[in-house]
Coordinates of all heavy atoms in Angstrom, one line a residue:
I1 N 43.7 -4.0 27.6 CA 44.5 -3.5 28.8 C 45.5 -2.5 28.3 O 45.7 -1.4 28.8 CB 45.2 -4.7 29.5 CG1 44.2 -5.3 30.5 CG2 46.4 -4.2 30.3 CD1 44.8 -6.5 31.2
F2 N 46.3 -2.8 27.2 CA 47.3 -1.9 26.7 C 46.6 -0.7 26.1 O 47.2 0.4 26.0 CB 48.3 -2.6 25.8 CG 49.1 -3.6 26.6 CD1 49.2 -4.9 26.1 CD2 49.8 -3.3 27.7 CE1 50.0 -5.9 26.8 CE2 50.5 -4.2 28.4 CZ 50.6 -5.5 28.0
K3 N 45.5 -0.9 25.5 CA 44.8 0.3 24.9 C 44.4 1.3 26.0 O 44.5 2.5 25.9 CB 43.5 -0.2 24.2 CG 42.7 1.0 23.6 CD 41.4 0.5 22.9 CE 40.7 1.7 22.2 NZ 40.3 2.7 23.2
A4 N 43.9 0.7 27.2 CA 43.5 1.6 28.3 C 44.8 2.3 28.8 O 44.7 3.5 29.2 CB 42.9 0.8 29.4
A5 N 45.9 1.6 28.8 CA 47.2 2.2 29.3 C 47.6 3.3 28.4 O 48.1 4.4 28.8 CB 48.2 1.1 29.5
L6 N 47.5 3.1 27.1 CA 47.9 4.1 26.1 C 47.0 5.3 26.2 O 47.5 6.5 26.1 CB 47.9 3.5 24.7 CG 49.0 2.5 24.4 CD1 48.8 1.9 23.1 CD2 50.4 3.1 24.5
D7 N 45.7 5.1 26.4 CA 44.8 6.2 26.5 C 45.1 7.0 27.8 O 44.8 8.2 27.8 CB 43.3 5.7 26.6 CG 42.8 5.1 25.3 OD1 43.5 5.4 24.3 OD2 41.8 4.4 25.3
A8 N 45.7 6.4 28.8 CA 46.1 7.1 30.0 C 47.5 7.6 29.9 O 48.0 8.0 31.0 CB 45.9 6.2 31.2
H9 N 48.1 7.5 28.7 CA 49.5 8.0 28.5 C 50.5 7.2 29.3 O 51.6 7.7 29.7 CB 49.6 9.5 28.8 CG 48.6 10.3 28.1 ND1 48.6 10.5 26.7 CD2 47.5 11.0 28.6 CE1 47.6 11.3 26.4 NE2 46.9 11.6 27.5
L10 N 50.2 5.9 29.5 CA 51.2 5.0 30.2 C 52.0 4.3 29.1 O 52.0 3.1 29.0 CB 50.5 4.1 31.1 CG 49.6 4.7 32.2 CD1 48.8 3.6 33.0 CD2 50.4 5.5 33.2
I11 N 52.7 5.1 28.4 CA 53.4 4.5 27.2 C 54.5 3.6 27.6 O 54.6 2.4 27.1 CB 53.9 5.6 26.3 CG1 52.7 6.5 25.8 CG2 54.7 5.1 25.1 CD1 53.2 7.7 25.0
A12 N 55.4 4.0 28.5 CA 56.5 3.1 28.9 C 56.0 1.8 29.5 O 56.6 0.8 29.3 CB 57.4 3.9 29.9
L13 N 55.0 1.9 30.4 CA 54.4 0.7 31.0 C 53.9 -0.2 29.9 O 54.0 -1.5 30.0 CB 53.4 1.1 32.0 CG 52.8 0.0 32.9 CD1 53.9 -0.7 33.7 CD2 51.7 0.5 33.8
S14 N 53.2 0.3 28.9 CA 52.7 -0.5 27.9 C 53.8 -1.2 27.1 O 53.7 -2.4 26.8 CB 51.8 0.3 26.9 OG 50.8 1.0 27.6
I15 N 54.8 -0.5 26.8 CA 56.0 -1.1 26.1 C 56.6 -2.3 26.9 O 56.8 -3.4 26.4 CB 57.0 -0.1 25.7 CG1 56.5 0.9 24.7 CG2 58.3 -0.7 25.2 CD1 57.4 2.1 24.4
M16 N 56.8 -2.0 28.2 CA 57.4 -3.1 29.0 C 56.4 -4.3 29.1 O 56.8 -5.4 29.2 CB 57.7 -2.5 30.4 CG 58.8 -1.5 30.4 SD 60.3 -2.1 29.8 CE 60.7 -3.5 30.9
G17 N 55.1 -4.0 29.2 CA 54.2 -5.1 29.2 C 54.2 -5.9 28.0 O 54.2 -7.2 28.1
L18 N 54.3 -5.3 26.8 CA 54.5 -6.1 25.6 C 55.7 -6.9 25.5 O 55.8 -8.0 25.1 CB 54.4 -5.1 24.4 CG 53.0 -4.5 24.2 CD1 53.1 -3.4 23.1 CD2 52.0 -5.5 23.7
L19 N 56.8 -6.3 26.0 CA 58.1 -7.0 26.0 C 58.1 -8.2 27.0 O 58.6 -9.3 26.6 CB 59.2 -6.1 26.4 CG 59.6 -5.0 25.4 CD1 60.6 -4.0 26.0 CD2 60.0 -5.6 24.1
T20 N 57.5 -8.1 28.1 CA 57.4 -9.2 29.0 C 56.4 -10.3 28.5 O 56.6 -11.5 28.8 CB 56.9 -8.7 30.4 OG1 55.7 -8.0 30.3 CG2 57.9 -7.8 31.1
S21 N 55.4 -9.9 27.7 CA 54.6 -10.9 27.1 C 55.4 -11.7 26.1 O 55.1 -12.9 25.9 CB 53.4 -10.2 26.3 OG 52.5 -9.5 27.2
A22 N 56.3 -11.1 25.4 CA 57.2 -11.9 24.5 C 58.0 -12.9 25.3 O 58.2 -14.0 24.9 CB 58.1 -10.9 23.8
V23 N 58.5 -12.5 26.5 CA 59.2 -13.4 27.4 C 58.3 -14.6 27.7 O 58.7 -15.8 27.7 CB 59.7 -12.7 28.6 CG1 60.4 -13.7 29.6 CG2 60.7 -11.6 28.2
A24 N 57.1 -14.3 28.1 CA 56.1 -15.3 28.5 C 55.9 -16.3 27.3 O 55.7 -17.5 27.6 CB 54.8 -14.7 28.9
A25 N 55.9 -15.9 26.1 CA 55.7 -16.8 25.0 C 56.7 -17.9 25.0 O 56.4 -19.1 24.6 CB 55.8 -16.0 23.7
Y26 N 57.9 -17.7 25.5 CA 59.0 -18.7 25.5 C 58.6 -19.9 26.4 O 58.6 -21.1 26.0 CB 60.3 -18.1 26.0 CG 61.4 -19.2 26.1 CD1 62.1 -19.7 25.1 CD2 61.7 -19.7 27.4 CE1 63.1 -20.7 25.2 CE2 62.6 -20.7 27.6 CZ 63.3 -21.2 26.5 OH 64.3 -22.2 26.6
Y27 N 58.2 -19.6 27.6 CA 57.9 -20.7 28.5 C 56.6 -21.4 28.3 O 56.4 -22.6 28.5 CB 58.1 -20.4 30.0 CG 57.2 -19.3 30.5 CD1 55.9 -19.5 30.9 CD2 57.7 -18.0 30.7 CE1 55.1 -18.5 31.4 CE2 56.9 -17.0 31.2 CZ 55.6 -17.2 31.6 OH 54.8 -16.2 32.1
Y28 N 55.6 -20.7 27.7 CA 54.4 -21.4 27.3 C 54.6 -22.3 26.1 O 54.2 -23.4 26.0 CB 53.3 -20.3 27.0 CG 52.8 -19.6 28.1 CD1 52.7 -18.2 28.1 CD2 52.3 -20.2 29.3 CE1 52.2 -17.5 29.2 CE2 51.8 -19.6 30.4 CZ 51.7 -18.2 30.3 OH 51.2 -17.5 31.4
L29 N 55.4 -21.7 25.1 CA 55.6 -22.6 23.9 C 56.6 -23.7 24.2 O 56.5 -24.7 23.5 CB 56.2 -21.7 22.8 CG 55.3 -20.7 22.2 CD1 56.0 -19.8 21.2 CD2 54.1 -21.4 21.5
R30 N 57.3 -23.6 25.3 CA 58.2 -24.7 25.7 C 57.3 -25.9 26.0 O 57.7 -27.1 25.7 CB 59.0 -24.3 26.9 CG 59.9 -25.3 27.5 CD 60.5 -24.8 28.8 NE 61.2 -25.8 29.5 CZ 61.6 -25.7 30.8 NH1 61.3 -24.5 31.5 NH2 62.2 -26.7 31.4
L31 N 56.2 -25.7 26.7 CA 55.3 -26.8 27.0 C 54.7 -27.4 25.7 O 54.6 -28.6 25.6 CB 54.1 -26.3 27.9 CG 54.5 -25.7 29.2 CD1 53.2 -25.3 30.0 CD2 55.3 -26.6 30.1
V32 N 54.4 -26.6 24.7 CA 53.9 -27.1 23.5 C 54.9 -28.0 22.8 O 54.6 -29.0 22.2 CB 53.4 -26.0 22.6 CG1 52.9 -26.5 21.2 CG2 52.3 -25.2 23.2
V33 N 56.2 -27.5 22.8 CA 57.3 -28.3 22.2 C 57.4 -29.6 22.9 O 57.6 -30.7 22.2 CB 58.6 -27.5 22.3 CG1 59.8 -28.3 21.9 CG2 58.5 -26.2 21.4
V34 N 57.4 -29.6 24.2 CA 57.5 -30.9 24.9 C 56.4 -31.9 24.6 O 56.6 -33.1 24.4 CB 57.6 -30.6 26.4 CG1 57.5 -31.9 27.2 CG2 58.8 -29.9 26.8
M35 N 55.2 -31.3 24.4 CA 54.0 -32.2 24.2 C 54.1 -32.9 22.8 O 53.8 -34.0 22.6 CB 52.7 -31.4 24.2 CG 52.3 -31.1 25.6 SD 50.6 -30.5 25.6 CE 50.7 -29.0 24.7
Y36 N 54.6 -32.1 21.8 CA 54.5 -32.6 20.4 C 55.9 -33.0 19.8 O 55.9 -33.7 18.8 CB 53.9 -31.4 19.5 CG 52.5 -31.2 19.7 CD1 52.0 -30.1 20.5 CD2 51.5 -32.1 19.2 CE1 50.7 -29.9 20.6 CE2 50.2 -31.9 19.3 CZ 49.7 -30.8 20.1 OH 48.4 -30.6 20.3
M37 N 57.0 -32.6 20.4 CA 58.3 -32.8 19.8 C 59.2 -33.7 20.6 O 60.3 -33.9 20.2 CB 58.9 -31.5 19.4 CG 58.2 -30.7 18.5 SD 59.0 -29.2 18.0 CE 57.8 -28.4 16.9
Q38 N 58.7 -34.1 21.8 CA 59.5 -35.0 22.6 C 58.8 -36.3 22.8 O 57.6 -36.3 23.1 CB 59.9 -34.4 23.9 CG 60.9 -33.2 23.8 CD 61.3 -32.7 25.2 OE1 61.0 -33.3 26.2 NE2 62.0 -31.6 25.2
P39 N 59.4 -37.5 22.7 CA 58.7 -38.7 22.9 C 58.4 -39.0 24.4 O 59.1 -38.4 25.3 CB 59.7 -39.8 22.4 CG 61.1 -39.1 22.6 CD 60.8 -37.6 22.4
A40 N 57.4 -39.7 24.6 CA 57.0 -40.0 26.0 C 58.0 -40.9 26.6 O 58.7 -41.8 25.9 CB 55.6 -40.7 26.0
P41 N 58.3 -40.8 27.9 CA 59.3 -41.7 28.6 C 58.9 -43.1 28.4 O 57.7 -43.5 28.4 CB 59.2 -41.2 30.1 CG 58.6 -39.8 30.0 CD 57.7 -39.8 28.8
V42 N 59.9 -44.0 28.5 CA 59.6 -45.4 28.3 C 58.7 -46.0 29.4 O 57.9 -46.8 29.2 CB 60.9 -46.2 28.2 CG1 60.7 -47.7 28.1 CG2 61.8 -45.7 27.1

């Protein structure tokens, strides 16, 4: 997707897309942390 955007000279949109993907990593990894690093409720 970002390769197609860069080929079409959508550089700013590609950069913003990559930055928002980094934001997404936080809430997805939050689920992984809860599964493996928090004990199950009593």
Side-chain angles (χ1 to χ4, degrees):
I1 279 178
F2 293 129
K3 180 181 183 301
L6 291 173
D7 289 345
H9 307 292
L10 303 175
I11 298 174
L13 188 60
S14 300
I15 293 173
M16 292 303 299
L18 291 170
L19 292 176
T20 56
S21 294
V23 173
Y26 173 82
Y27 59 81
Y28 289 130
L29 291 176
R30 177 186 172 196
L31 300 182
V32 178
V33 170
V34 170
M35 284 193 296
Y36 288 102
M37 299 183 183
Q38 291 186 10
V42 178

